[in-house]
Amino acid sequence: MTRAPARAPTGAPTRAETVRDRIVAEVELAGFRAHGLHVLVGDDVAEHRWSPDVRREVHSVAKAVCALAAGIAADEGRLSLDEPVAAWLPGAELGEGVDRVTLRHLLSMTSGVDLPWSPTLMTDWPDLALEFVGRPSRGRVFQYSNASTYTAMRVLATRVGDVVDFLRPRLLGPLGLDDVAWQRCPLGFVTAGDGLALRTEEVARLGWLLRDGGAWRGRRVVSEQTAAAVHSGWVAAGTSPGYERYGLGAWSGPGSAWRLHGALGQLVLVVDDAVVTLTADDHERADAVAAAVVRELEGLREGPPAAER
């Protein structure tokens, strides 16, 4: 369970409570269809809910979990993120240039392989991973694709076995998430880039872990290098605000933030020692709300408005 927020003896709100109240106002002003809000500032926590606290699909936030899984395996010496992945998929017929694609390229969406998302992505081909690596690569070109993350986890499974079983004692268990379910493809592998269901506060644990460099409540869970890789080593991704740079599961921006971002408004926004997590069902307003949240967090650097001092 999260730590209860501490109040000053005067009854003044904590920084987390102040930020929470401002974000609640922003969310309601925007008409953003949010489910839950979790705010962490330093060690202070504050929360708010608009709908029942149940586990819901977090969409592409799951990509960060995949990056952590690969990083943990690398830390254990089971693989290198920079090895070509071709040899790990026996029987694969490789498209032109795919022999030079590495696990890091798959996780950073820079394989140069084009395979767009569709609602039936997992069943459109007998084996999505083989379909993906069978297509040509255009070089180190950014191409956001769930199929890329799925293929990365198929490669990882050749080294560690079932990805969920691998993660339970190493990441999910330490975070108190060992009972979560991850959607599977028809072949029995995790869908990887989506398909993970978590409560708002459970999503926030991922942000908390990454903010603290891979430590959780004072315990080392993953290495600093693996945690940092999720939101660093940025690659050029495009020109849209907040989508210019991508790491291994995280986006740079908006502003000075970095974020995990899943479809329909699943957001983990990190600025300095603050982590704001929103779960929602509102794809259209997510970017505007993310920008508003970051403005609030950046305002913490300047202290409260004069009227509140």
Side-chain angles (χ1 to χ4, degrees):
M1 299 296 291
T2 54
R3 287 172 279 186
R7 278 186 176 275
T10 60
T14 64
R15 291 192 300 160
E17 290 170 329
T18 298
V19 170
R20 175 202 60 196
D21 293 345
R22 292 176 180 172
I23 292 173
V24 167
E26 292 277 6
V27 164
E28 294 178 351
L29 179 65
F32 185 58
R33 298 188 299 275
H35 293 306
L37 167 66
H38 183 282
V39 177
L40 169 69
V41 183
D43 290 329
D44 297 328
V45 171
E47 299 176 286
H48 185 84
R49 296 215 60 82
W50 291 269
S51 67
D53 186 15
V54 299
R55 282 179 171 164
R56 292 183 170 87
E57 161 77 74
V58 297
H59 300 284
S60 288
V61 170
K63 291 180 173 66
V65 180
C66 294
L68 289 171
I72 292 168
D75 289 339
E76 293 182 0
R78 295 172 181 249
L79 51 76
S80 166
L81 298 189
D82 298 307
E83 293 178 68
V85 302
W88 303 349
L89 295 172
E93 294 185 11
L94 304 180
E96 183 179 356
V98 174
D99 60 324
R100 295 184 292 276
V101 170
T102 67
L103 190 57
R104 189 182 305 278
H105 296 147
L106 293 177
L107 293 169
S108 64
M109 305 295 173
T110 55
S111 72
V113 176
D114 185 15
L115 203 167
W117 179 86
S118 80
T120 54
L121 183 65
M122 294 295 157
T123 56
D124 285 342
W125 297 276
D127 188 319
L128 176 59
L130 295 184
E131 175 66 26
F132 187 83
V133 299
R135 297 189 175 201
S137 168
R138 297 172 291 147
R140 303 291 70 80
V141 177
F142 184 85
Q143 180 68 55
Y144 194 78
S145 172
N146 276 18
S148 186
T149 312
Y150 172 79
T151 303
M153 291 301 97
R154 285 286 301 276
V155 168
L156 180 63
T158 68
R159 295 296 180 93
V160 305
D162 185 80
V163 171
V164 175
D165 289 344
F166 175 72
L167 284 178
R168 279 199 180 100
R170 295 168 172 85
L171 177 68
L172 300 176
L175 292 182
L177 304 174
D178 53 338
D179 63 336
V180 299
W182 205 327
Q183 187 178 346
R184 304 272 175 166
C185 75
L187 298 177
F189 300 97
V190 293
T191 56
D194 60 10
L196 187 63
L198 297 170
R199 295 183 177 87
T200 310
E201 184 271 335
E202 292 173 335
V203 182
R205 296 179 203 180
L206 294 172
W208 199 328
L209 176 81
L210 293 173
R211 184 202 70 170
D212 289 354
W216 170 248
R217 301 193 185 285
R219 173 189 171 187
R220 172 63 53 194
V221 176
V222 300
S223 70
E224 290 187 38
Q225 178 181 350
T226 288
V230 174
H231 55 94
S232 63
W234 304 110
V235 299
T239 58
S240 299
Y243 295 89
E244 299 99 334
R245 301 190 303 166
Y246 190 74
L248 297 184
W251 294 92
S252 175
S256 61
W258 59 264
R259 75 189 189 283
L260 310 182
H261 192 157
L264 306 180
Q266 322 318 313
L267 295 165
V268 181
L269 296 136
V270 183
V271 176
D272 301 332
D273 69 340
V275 182
V276 169
T277 303
L278 278 160
T279 54
D281 185 14
D282 193 336
H283 196 74
E284 294 75 15
R285 297 178 180 87
D287 289 340
V289 167
V293 168
V294 171
R295 286 194 295 271
E296 293 291 349
L297 296 181
E298 290 175 340
L300 289 174
R301 298 169 176 164
E302 303 168 5
E308 298 180 14
R309 292 175 188 152

